[in-house]
Amino acid sequence: MIVFMNLEAKSFYKSLCTIVGPIAAQNLISAAVSSVDVIMLGSVGQTAIAASSLANQITFILFMISTGLSSGLIMLSSQYWGKKDVESIKVLMGIALRISCSVGFIFGVLAFFCPTFLMGIFTNDQNLISVGSSYLKVASISFFCLSISQIFQSAFKSIERVKIVTILTLITLGLNVLLNSCFIYGFIGFPKLGIVGVGIATSISRVIEVVICLIYCKKQKDLHCGFSVIFKRNQLLFSDFVKFSMPAVGNELVWGAAFSMYSVILGHLGEDIVAANSVVGVIRNLATVVCFGMAYGGAIILGKQMGAGELEKAERNAARLAKVTILSGVLGGILVLCCRSFIPNIVKLSENASHCRDILMYITAYSIVGASINTVFICGIFRAGGDSKFGFIADVINMWGVSVPLGLLAAFVFKLPPLWVYFILYLDEFEKMPFVIVHYFKKKWLKNITREI
């Protein structure tokens, strides 16, 4: 039995590395895109960095919705992939695309026609509103493109074609860096547009990303299809998609909206804390690429095993996934602390903003450990078996019932210093952790959710 378990463990870790490697690389490249924007905007000024950070909260909310829909798609498609039922995966893709494109279109229209209103949600600083609005208007087309590419890439992941997703993200980064250089600094004859140039570069990169997604999907043998899958329909699969993906969308949206509310609270406490949070947010994204990649990649492996009816094997591998993901979270926290020495040389901030940044990095280090624990269970293990409701309920209670009210009280009633407000807000991961661990041991998430179509 020990030999069998060792062989099983080796097989799981091998599969995990095969899938997680490209997903972690994709997350790293995505985080690098944000890093490039912040670093390049550093030459424009602190106001541009802060305005870009607040404007990107709109993108962040859209991304959370798309991530929820993508999670629902991966949740179901990875299990159908375990059964080798590709036709059902195509139908599920079409359902996800119809919903995602509708949401992306609405966000794009609002960003183009009402950018000042959207920026006003996050700050009352008129200078930040003006600068951020100019960015949102030109970046609006990227919202619709993001809603398309996210779904296609999730479908590729669910059938274990993760390398193409990494390649796509790498191309997007390369284009973004090149176009940022042209539009921010005015290289090779382009006009110097500052933060507006970042928005233009983002939109062009997203359009090309969608084109490549469509070309690859059309030529891919296992999932040979195009944008026409948007017209595929099946009432049973639609019901399943709504049942399993809507709580995931709600979970991501509730979490994303609460996270954006943190930015709203901080945005009313001054430009220094906003700029510091922008820089630290980039470091946080870089430090979590591996642990989040493990959580989401592991969900694909576990879902495939559950769909194939190997529930006991999936249970054992879930425990292995939890251990390695939490370990990577600890290493990520240590990485944040190691970054303190050289970050001041990359992005220049005011003296007070620099002080805030240094303290925020300590808070972020422990927060990452808590995030790795909750993410591997909620977004990895639970969702692999179709249990997306728990995360939704947990975040509604803990983030909106506890963290956001405490943050508002700390900032606007007790008028605590900005650093204390930040500390209180980022205790959220530890508030829900006990409930998450208890739910894991109940094993209600361990299910095969496929149908005979």
Side-chain angles (χ1 to χ4, degrees):
M1 183 65 177
I2 295 176
V3 175
F4 170 74
M5 286 297 292
N6 286 338
L7 290 173
E8 181 182 272
K10 288 179 181 178
S11 176
F12 170 73
Y13 290 128
K14 182 179 179 181
S15 298
L16 189 64
C17 288
T18 301
I19 291 180
V20 169
I23 290 179
Q26 182 207 4
N27 292 343
L28 177 61
I29 297 165
S30 297
V33 171
S34 299
S35 304
V36 166
D37 288 347
V38 171
I39 292 170
M40 288 185 163
L41 282 173
S43 65
V44 179
Q46 180 173 302
T47 299
I49 295 175
S52 172
S53 172
L54 292 177
N56 276 321
Q57 293 304 312
I58 307 299
T59 309
F60 178 69
I61 293 171
L62 174 61
F63 186 76
M64 289 297 99
I65 296 174
S66 297
T67 299
L69 291 170
S70 298
S71 294
L73 178 60
I74 291 175
M75 213 182 299
L76 286 158
S77 295
S78 60
Q79 291 216 4
Y80 278 105
W81 180 240
K83 293 178 65 174
K84 298 299 179 185
D85 185 352
V86 178
E87 287 304 311
S88 292
I89 296 175
K90 291 180 182 180
V91 175
L92 290 165
M93 268 185 73
I95 295 167
L97 276 171
R98 287 198 295 276
I99 300 172
S100 185
C101 287
S102 300
V103 174
F105 178 76
I106 293 170
F107 270 70
V109 169
L110 288 173
F112 185 82
F113 291 104
C114 311
T116 303
F117 167 75
L118 294 178
M119 283 298 299
I121 297 173
F122 297 99
T123 182
N124 55 1
D125 187 314
Q126 291 303 312
N127 192 28
L128 292 179
I129 290 174
S130 176
V131 175
S133 296
S134 64
Y135 167 81
L136 273 179
K137 193 158 190 172
V138 294
S140 58
I141 192 171
S142 69
F143 295 159
F144 182 68
C145 294
L146 173 66
S147 66
I148 298 173
S149 62
Q150 278 285 102
I151 299 302
F152 273 96
Q153 290 180 36
S154 297
F156 300 154
K157 289 177 185 177
S158 68
I159 62 169
E160 299 177 278
R161 300 297 183 269
V162 291
K163 289 182 181 178
I164 181 61
V165 178
T166 305
I167 293 170
L168 273 167
T169 311
L170 185 60
I171 291 171
T172 302
L173 171 64
L175 280 170
N176 202 67
V177 172
L178 176 62
L179 294 171
N180 272 351
S181 300
C182 293
F183 289 116
I184 294 176
Y185 306 122
F187 288 168
I188 58 176
F190 282 83
K192 291 184 178 181
L193 300 175
I195 191 172
V196 173
V198 175
I200 294 173
T202 300
S203 290
I204 294 174
S205 300
R206 289 295 184 189
V207 169
I208 294 174
E209 182 181 43
V210 169
V211 171
I212 297 173
C213 277
L214 292 171
I215 293 172
Y216 177 79
C217 200
K218 196 72 176 177
K219 295 183 176 293
Q220 218 279 325
K221 292 181 180 179
D222 290 312
L223 196 64
H224 179 71
C225 61
F227 197 69
S228 59
V229 293
I230 200 169
F231 301 109
K232 286 184 173 289
R233 298 176 183 275
N234 181 293
Q235 190 57 46
L236 284 176
L237 288 177
F238 178 79
S239 298
D240 283 347
F241 185 82
V242 171
K243 176 182 177 181
F244 294 112
S245 70
M246 287 304 106
V249 171
N251 187 186
E252 298 291 347
L253 191 55
V254 162
W255 183 87
F259 217 77
S260 293
M261 181 57 74
Y262 295 174
S263 295
V264 171
I265 294 170
L266 296 174
H268 286 79
L269 298 180
E271 184 179 300
D272 287 335
I273 190 71
V274 172
N277 188 40
S278 302
V279 175
V280 174
V282 170
I283 300 169
R284 177 189 175 92
N285 290 340
L286 291 171
T288 55
V289 293
V290 175
C291 65
F292 288 179
M294 283 186 176
Y296 287 96
I300 296 170
I301 299 172
L302 298 179
K304 181 181 177 182
Q305 291 171 351
M306 292 182 206
E310 300 173 330
L311 297 183
E312 291 184 0
K313 183 178 180 181
E315 181 183 354
R316 292 190 294 270
N317 284 333
R320 295 176 182 126
L321 176 64
K323 291 175 185 176
V324 294
T325 303
I326 295 169
L327 175 61
S328 66
V330 173
L331 295 176
I334 294 172
L335 177 62
V336 170
L337 298 179
C338 291
C339 289
R340 289 185 67 252
S341 60
F342 65 84
I343 287 299
N345 299 322
I346 299 177
V347 180
K348 301 295 182 183
L349 299 177
S350 67
E351 184 178 352
N352 187 48
S354 297
H355 172 69
C356 291
R357 177 203 58 217
D358 292 341
I359 302 301
L360 263 52
M361 290 180 76
Y362 282 112
I363 298 172
T364 298
Y366 75 72
S367 177
I368 286 175
V369 178
S372 68
I373 296 171
N374 290 324
T375 301
V376 71
F377 288 122
I378 293 175
C379 299
I381 295 170
F382 298 168
R383 288 188 187 176
D387 185 359
S388 54
K389 289 182 180 178
F390 175 82
F392 173 61
I393 295 170
D395 280 337
V396 168
I397 295 172
N398 289 286
M399 297 189 82
W400 285 97
V402 181
S403 292
V404 171
L406 284 179
L408 290 169
L409 288 171
F412 305 119
V413 177
F414 299 111
K415 299 188 184 299
L416 296 180
L419 290 174
W420 276 104
V421 175
Y422 189 96
F423 172 77
I424 290 169
L425 288 172
Y426 281 81
L427 287 173
D428 62 334
E429 297 290 353
F430 298 93
E431 293 162 4
K432 62 186 173 186
M433 192 184 298
F435 306 101
V436 171
I437 294 173
V438 168
H439 189 72
Y440 166 72
F441 284 108
K442 288 182 178 179
K443 300 181 185 180
K444 293 181 179 180
W445 47 270
L446 194 63
K447 291 182 289 188
N448 182 335
I449 58 175
T450 61
R451 291 180 180 268
E452 295 297 331
I453 304 297

